[in-house]
Amino acid sequence: MDLAARVGFAFCLWGLILTTSFQTNPVSLKDLMRECHDGKLQLPDFQRGWVWDQNRIIDLLASISEGFPVGALMTLDASGEVSFAVRPVEGAPTPIKPLEAYLLDGQQRMTSLYQSTFSQVPVATQTAKKRPIKVHFYFDIRAALDPNVARSDAVIAAPEDRIIRQNFGRDVKLDLSCEEHEFEALYFPIDRIFDENRWQISAAQWMAKDPMARQEKWELINRFAQEVVNNFTSYHVPVIKLGKDTSRAAVCLVFEKVNTGGKPLDAFELVTAMYASEKFHLRDDWKARRERLINQKVLAKIEPVEFLQAVSLLYTKESRDDAISAGLEPPAISATRNSLLQVPLAAYRKWADKVEAGYVSAAKFLHSLKIFNSRDLPYQTQLVPLAAIFAELNSAWENDAVRQKLAKWYWCGVFGELYGSAVESRFALDIRDFSPWINGGAEPQTVQRSSFEEKRLRTLRSRLSAAYKGVHALLMKSGAEDFKSGQSYDQTVFFDENVDIHHIFPEAWCKNQKIEPAIYNSIVNKTPLTSATNRMLGGVAPSAYIGRLTKGNDNNPPIAADRLSAILKSHEIEEALLAADDFDGFMDMRRSRLLSLIETAMGKEAVRESILPADEEDEYYGEEEMEEAA
């Protein structure tokens, strides 16, 4: 963890300390190793595997050998309410003592130290280039005692058989395969560091066989024991011990802040470990559900935390409704990380099937809006409240009046661009407001607060934008037919014919006319077409490709003029403007028509603007486009 991260963690930890009991005590390294070995100190099962390479282990051993601090550990009393499935520190045997504490922070250090100092099994690590290796670590006694040699240079790694070879393995450079060879070479096995007395007794017996020749080495061994080994046996590690009253949210905060390397731990992994303590395998349950859900391509990117959020929305809403019925202070509806950690296993079991069914219904609903693919889904996050709403509605969503309100709510979220950030509070409002709305209550906040500005159409250029994807879907929903085949875009055509959004005035033609990319790349100049049709249009003027369509060729029969006019109208395109290659007139007309489509979908008027020259218009970026620009 770098300095900035540690400072940030210190502030978060201070907040945690103010709300939970804790102790900070120095604990001897040897006792910590024994606790890991016996199983009194274990890892919560959501902790990821050990990843330190050989060089990091060497640096750690060198630091302790000189008595330098290597950072505090953090443990959690295992006798409290928070309960996790556990596993021993990697390399430790099956536990023989009752679990006393979870190791929350310090896994890499404790695992590295346990394997290299306490276990005589080779350390299964990796090189700096990520090649897996098994090694034993040694101190070169002479180098360790030489003040001119960096201590890390005095730590060497020997292969599994303790024989270091050279010349492509043909010659033995250093044989440490038995104690006598270790004494002779003056190399101390670090996995004997806490059993050094026995090794030294054996060394004394070896020295006694030839005291005159071996006296100098014996003196170096004794000096090494005093100056290096004693630093290990007397070493104490500061341990922050969180009490048994520590909350789940506090534990999650610890992992969010201390796990700064690699993929951060999320609430799903914490909940998985908590449910595992009740013999329920959440990860397996989720894997089976995901395999079923991703059969719908629009759900291909569903995440486990999102599924838990939908469960939490329904569980907390039920708790709120029960409290209101009982005349009690109602708790909040929530899908925050903290609320996910509070969902009991019984609640997950109750709601998980309903949420899964809600996602399936959500996929059907999205298909009806012509959203077939996860890539074209405006907001992945909006699936969470959508699935929860469907889980509550059950089959009632198939009622036409309910479907219309669902569509209005959905498009207001998309074109209001309301699900880009800080979404958990909006989720809660959605699940709170939707059922009363269909029963005659007020419109949901998402509908009330959404708005769309006309000028936004001119700046929708990125397919990362939710509103950009929304226009693409709306055109297909409104009946757009392919220029060449005349087919409407149902699910089969969409995938079989590779439908995507393409330029109407081709990019090559626009460049030749010196039109700015910021203008011709607008959604106003794009429409859904099959890949074959887009290739046929090429980079020519619209008047030219209209001629191709009406005249036909050997591979494509001609399209009647009135039929082509109807097809273009289905895309909100005025044929006369294309035939005249009137780019400016086309952009003005189509912007107006797309705006009408959006207003109809949202059920409210957009914020209109005067048409300004392109070089005078205000620049506008949605969150997704800002992200892409960055």
Side-chain angles (χ1 to χ4, degrees):
M1 189 187 299
D2 62 23
L3 179 59
R6 288 194 176 276
V7 170
F9 175 57
F11 281 106
C12 291
L13 183 58
W14 178 245
L16 170 65
I17 285 171
L18 292 176
T19 58
T20 188
S21 62
F22 75 100
Q23 295 178 332
T24 303
N25 298 313
V27 180
S28 78
L29 180 59
K30 184 176 182 179
D31 287 346
L32 286 169
M33 296 296 96
R34 174 55 63 184
E35 289 177 10
C36 290
H37 185 80
D38 292 344
K40 294 164 69 175
L41 180 63
Q42 296 188 55
L43 298 166
D45 197 39
F46 54 77
Q47 283 270 43
R48 290 194 173 84
W50 180 56
V51 296
W52 271 18
D53 62 33
Q54 172 182 303
N55 291 342
R56 294 192 73 177
I57 298 172
I58 287 174
D59 288 342
L60 177 65
L61 293 169
S63 294
I64 292 177
S65 75
E66 295 191 272
F68 296 159
V70 294
L73 305 181
M74 186 180 294
T75 64
L76 171 66
D77 190 328
S79 65
E81 176 189 354
V82 178
S83 178
F84 298 114
V86 293
R87 58 182 171 83
V89 167
E90 196 164 329
T94 302
I96 58 175
K97 298 285 182 70
L99 175 69
E100 293 184 359
Y102 305 107
L103 179 60
L104 298 186
D105 182 29
Q107 175 197 4
Q108 304 295 331
R109 286 166 288 159
M110 286 299 97
T111 304
S112 298
L113 288 169
Y114 177 81
Q115 291 198 12
S116 59
T117 70
F118 210 81
S119 170
Q120 294 188 16
V121 175
V123 180
T125 181
Q126 56 189 9
T127 66
K129 294 183 178 179
K130 309 301 182 185
R131 182 174 62 86
I133 52 172
K134 292 184 178 181
V135 296
H136 298 276
F137 290 100
Y138 280 83
F139 274 114
D140 177 340
I141 292 176
R142 285 192 178 90
L145 295 174
D146 187 339
N148 296 316
V149 175
R151 187 57 57 85
S152 58
D153 292 337
V155 181
I156 65 109
E160 188 173 2
D161 64 0
R162 300 181 188 262
I163 299 174
I164 299 175
R165 294 175 171 84
Q166 58 187 5
N167 193 19
F168 301 100
R170 290 191 286 267
D171 301 330
V172 173
K173 179 182 178 182
L174 182 62
D175 185 349
L176 302 172
S177 59
C178 65
E179 283 187 335
E180 287 197 359
H181 292 168
E182 293 169 350
F183 304 146
E184 185 67 39
L186 285 178
Y187 272 72
F188 177 80
I190 296 178
D191 57 16
R192 302 288 298 277
I193 204 87
F194 294 115
D195 191 27
E196 186 270 340
N197 286 340
R198 293 193 183 206
W199 189 85
Q200 196 166 17
I201 289 170
S202 296
Q205 293 169 348
W206 168 80
M207 190 274 296
K209 294 177 183 178
D210 192 354
M212 293 295 293
R214 297 172 177 173
Q215 181 63 33
E216 181 185 355
K217 291 182 178 179
W218 171 245
E219 291 174 358
L220 289 173
I221 289 171
N222 275 324
R223 186 178 155 206
F224 174 79
Q226 294 170 9
E227 296 183 16
V228 178
V229 174
N230 280 351
N231 282 339
F232 279 87
T233 55
S234 63
Y235 195 88
H236 283 67
V237 181
V239 179
I240 301 170
K241 297 184 176 181
L242 302 183
K244 62 182 181 181
D245 59 338
T246 304
S247 69
R248 294 178 179 185
V251 174
C252 191
L253 175 64
V254 168
F255 278 97
E256 181 182 42
K257 300 304 176 184
V258 303
N259 288 275
T260 58
K263 182 176 181 286
L265 292 161
D266 58 33
F268 178 80
E269 292 169 293
L270 290 163
V271 175
T272 296
M274 289 187 287
Y275 287 177
S277 68
E278 300 181 59
K279 311 302 181 187
F280 181 80
H281 301 293
L282 178 61
R283 190 171 286 109
D284 293 342
D285 180 81
W286 164 246
K287 181 180 178 182
R289 294 184 190 279
R290 182 180 182 278
E291 286 177 354
R292 293 190 292 268
L293 289 173
I294 62 174
N295 286 327
Q296 304 292 338
K297 289 183 171 60
V298 75
L299 302 179
K301 294 181 181 178
I302 185 173
E303 292 290 336
V305 169
E306 294 168 355
F307 190 88
L308 283 180
Q309 285 179 313
V311 170
S312 179
L313 286 173
L314 295 166
Y315 166 63
T316 54
K317 183 177 186 293
E318 181 184 50
S319 299
R320 178 182 174 83
D321 291 345
D322 290 345
I324 292 172
S325 297
L328 302 174
E329 181 69 23
I333 301 172
S334 179
T336 63
R337 179 191 62 190
N338 188 22
S339 69
L340 267 56
L341 301 177
Q342 306 305 319
V343 175
L345 178 57
Y348 179 83
R349 290 181 185 274
K350 175 178 180 178
W351 290 106
D353 286 347
K354 296 178 182 179
V355 168
E356 182 179 345
Y359 270 101
V360 172
S361 295
K364 293 178 182 177
F365 169 72
L366 291 168
H367 292 167
S368 74
L369 301 184
K370 304 296 183 179
I371 301 170
F372 302 118
N373 198 324
S374 61
R375 185 186 71 166
D376 298 316
L377 185 66
Y379 281 120
Q380 178 72 26
T381 50
Q382 200 175 1
L383 271 177
V384 174
L386 184 61
I389 287 169
F390 275 112
E392 260 206 326
L393 289 175
N394 203 354
S395 61
W397 78 272
E398 295 172 349
N399 175 278
D400 183 62
V402 175
R403 287 170 68 102
Q404 288 185 33
K405 287 190 171 182
L406 272 167
K408 180 176 181 177
W409 166 83
Y410 186 78
W411 291 125
C412 283
V414 170
F415 291 110
E417 299 183 280
L418 298 176
Y419 290 87
S421 62
V423 290
E424 288 87 356
S425 58
R426 183 160 301 282
F427 294 170
L429 293 173
D430 288 334
I431 196 69
R432 183 199 70 181
D433 294 346
F434 196 85
S435 290
W437 182 36
I438 64 174
N439 292 310
E443 290 182 333
Q445 294 292 311
T446 293
V447 175
Q448 291 183 36
R449 296 178 181 177
S450 65
S451 65
F452 186 82
E453 297 184 11
E454 181 181 7
K455 68 178 181 180
R456 183 70 174 114
L457 280 172
R458 294 199 251 163
T459 57
L460 283 174
R461 294 183 286 271
S462 169
R463 71 178 307 128
L464 295 176
S465 166
Y468 180 103
K469 296 176 183 180
V471 172
H472 178 36
L474 267 188
L475 283 165
M476 292 190 289
K477 179 71 173 65
S478 68
E481 300 172 322
D482 187 64
F483 286 9
K484 185 175 75 167
S485 68
Q487 297 180 97
S488 59
Y489 300 122
D490 60 20
Q491 190 171 357
T492 301
V493 171
F494 183 87
F495 287 110
D496 288 353
E497 303 296 332
N498 193 20
V499 175
D500 203 351
I501 196 157
H502 296 289
H503 291 85
I504 299 167
F505 277 75
E507 183 175 8
W509 183 87
C510 291
K511 288 180 178 178
N512 288 335
Q513 301 300 312
K514 309 301 183 185
I515 300 170
E516 291 294 324
I519 299 174
Y520 69 70
N521 280 327
S522 161
I523 190 69
V524 178
N525 186 39
K526 292 181 182 178
T527 208
L529 298 170
T530 65
S531 59
T533 297
N534 186 55
R535 288 194 299 272
M536 191 206 73
L537 300 186
V540 299
S543 58
Y545 70 65
I546 285 177
R548 292 177 182 174
L549 291 167
T550 54
K551 291 177 182 177
N553 55 36
D554 293 341
N555 298 319
N556 300 291
I559 300 174
D562 58 344
R563 176 66 178 129
L564 179 58
S565 181
I567 290 173
L568 293 173
K569 190 169 290 186
S570 74
H571 289 259
E572 306 298 337
I573 296 170
E574 191 64 48
E575 182 183 6
L577 297 172
L578 287 195
D581 296 329
D582 183 357
F583 180 81
D584 292 337
F586 159 80
M587 292 292 284
D588 290 343
M589 176 65 74
R590 196 160 192 262
R591 182 165 51 248
S592 175
R593 291 187 177 181
L594 292 182
L595 192 63
S596 294
L597 273 185
I598 292 169
E599 289 176 326
T600 300
M602 296 178 69
K604 57 171 62 178
E605 290 188 1
V607 179
R608 304 271 173 171
E609 66 163 1
S610 299
I611 304 301
L612 301 174
D615 60 352
E616 294 181 19
E617 68 182 50
D618 294 332
E619 194 62 44
Y620 180 98
Y621 283 98
E623 290 178 8
E624 295 91 345
E625 288 174 307
M626 290 173 66
E627 197 173 291
E628 184 184 47

